Amino acid sequence: MATEGPAMRRVQVAEHPRLLKLKEMFNSKFGSIPKFYVRAPGRVNIIGEHIDYCGYSVLPMAVEQDMLIAVEPVKTQTLQLANTNPLYPDFSTSANNIQIDKTKPLWHNYFLCGFKGIQEHFGLSNLTGMNCLVDGNIPPSSGLSSSSALVCCAGLVTLTVLGMNLSKVELAEICAKSERYIGTEGGGMDQSISFLAEEGTAKLIEFSPLRATDVKLPSGAVFVIANSCVEMNKAATSHFNIRVMECRLAAKLLAKYRGLQWDKVLRLEEVQAKLGVSLEEMLGITEDALHPEPYSPEEVCKCLGISLQELQTQILSPKTQDVLVFKPYQRAKHVYSEAARVLRFKKICEEAPDNTVQLLGELMNQSHASCRDLCECSCPELDQLVDICRKSGAQGSRLTGAGWGGCTVSLVPADKLTNFLANVHEAYYQRSDRNVTLEKQSLFATKPGGGALVFLEAQIM
């Protein structure tokens, strides 16, 4: 239940090779044994891209890949962080003086986001320190939410060390808010599915208030994730935050056009709710109110009746103040059409007609086209990979995650899976000029995994 906190399980560490290895590495690093372990999964968003921050529902599932942290509370007030991956250097800081540098999205800053979120939620000072060893097997910057999984894991670690309780929903909301410390203006999908996921089912995640509904996926097909091997870090680039801001501007322009109190409006969903119209009607209003040609900051100011300084200081975020071109028409068209596709996807899963897989595949294909042409968050490699997946037998294929790199998700009939994997591997990954390492876990079928939880080592009698 979402009203309960994450599960706590007693396990025989010796029976879990990854936990055992982490315990041994922790002992060799810190000279002691972890008190407990926390895991938080990554996710694949099946449909509903770039709409959570606009207030609309999304349809992700957790993947089996996760962040795993071994933890030992200590008497000092020092937070010591280490990573099993030698690419990520050790870090230590005072638990009571957390500084998060937005200019450098270093790995430890994501841990600090989760830590600080819990600390500030409870208004705590004088926190105890801890030794933590992090082990992640989610490919980084791949659109499978490795960063948010680390924020969630750190939030649950901190909560457990403090001996406090929060529901999964409260944890998800705190972690979504706290990831903004690193400068990413995300919408909350990634943190929500990391805590609210359940094995065997995808989830429709709705916002304001946050809630999750089971979505039973078709049994005759599997979802396959393929990594384009183009890395994209949301916090290191401005693409993502620019899309958030363009959607905010679109919401304000649409609200002004329809005589609403536009200065209070932040999200496209609010405009629809205030007007009390359908998503299809919002697409019509967008056609009437906005033009396809890009808007300059000066034109936005003219439409809203504000000064350039007011636009920069009151509406734009620090990372978007220098943007010279906005495309509110294209972004609004993407958001309203994508929000409708999510609801249609869920309805088809519920009704389960004979051609379910075909219908869902068509929605995924439409979603990719909208991401590519209206949201403009694809890239040539993703487009090529989507094309290869479709030609290799996928009923539908689309980019997943923020885009500009990362992964695709494809819906593949179960009886075509073996051929599909072989064909995609040959057509995309065996090209001599593509730099692919095994660590990127390039191509794998996945099924809905469970959410974040705490492991305690069972005492052997």
Side-chain angles (χ1 to χ4, degrees), residues 22-54:
L22 192 59
K23 179 182 177 179
E24 289 165 353
M25 287 179 79
F26 188 98
N27 192 13
S28 102
K29 179 85 189 167
F30 297 112
S32 52
I33 286 172
K35 180 122 185 253
F36 63 91
Y37 307 81
V38 170
R39 66 115 21 200
R43 62 97 190 94
V44 58
N45 190 23
I46 299 170
I47 196 162
E49 223 59 77
H50 284 272
I51 64 172
D52 60 339
Y53 56 75
C54 297

Side-chain angles (χ1 to χ4, degrees), residues 108-287:
H108 60 258
N109 282 332
Y110 292 98
F111 185 100
L112 297 181
C113 284
F115 182 88
K116 187 175 178 180
I118 298 296
Q119 183 185 23
E120 293 198 341
H121 176 79
F122 288 109
L124 298 172
S125 54
N126 215 22
L127 275 179
T128 181
M130 54 178 115
N131 295 333
C132 296
L133 180 60
V134 177
D135 181 60
N137 59 11
I138 310 167
S141 301
S142 65
L144 300 180
S145 211
S146 57
S147 308
S148 298
L150 181 50
V151 174
C152 293
C153 217
L156 185 50
V157 162
T158 311
L159 187 75
T160 308
V161 166
L162 292 170
M164 304 280 206
N165 292 308
L166 287 170
S167 71
K168 294 174 191 175
V169 164
E170 288 168 319
L171 269 166
E173 289 178 329
I174 290 165
C175 289
K177 194 171 145 198
S178 68
E179 192 164 332
R180 293 176 195 150
Y181 293 137
I182 210 158
T184 306
E185 305 270 339
M189 162 176 55
D190 303 347
Q191 301 82 3
S192 302
I193 191 65
S194 197
F195 285 113
L196 298 172
E198 291 179 72
E199 218 162 294
T201 180
K203 295 278 185 179
L204 180 79
I205 306 275
E206 299 170 87
F207 303 96
S208 303
L210 177 60
R211 56 213 184 278
T213 311
D214 290 359
V215 176
K216 190 175 185 312
L217 298 170
S219 54
V222 282
F223 287 92
V224 178
I225 295 168
N227 193 344
S228 72
C229 303
V230 176
E231 293 198 355
M232 187 280 177
N233 185 308
K234 279 197 294 201
T237 57
S238 57
H239 299 307
F240 181 84
N241 284 344
I242 290 170
R243 291 298 172 277
V244 176
M245 201 46 58
E246 287 176 309
C247 290
R248 185 175 297 177
L249 288 175
K252 289 180 181 295
L253 291 166
L254 290 170
K256 177 93 191 286
Y257 176 79
R258 291 302 297 261
L260 301 174
Q261 198 177 352
W262 65 266
D263 55 329
K264 297 277 192 279
V265 169
L266 291 175
R267 291 185 290 276
L268 285 163
E269 186 276 333
E270 293 170 50
V271 182
Q272 185 199 356
K274 287 178 193 301
L275 293 177
V277 299
S278 69
L279 287 163
E280 287 70 25
E281 287 170 296
M282 280 313 306
L283 285 166
I285 292 167
T286 301
E287 289 286 350

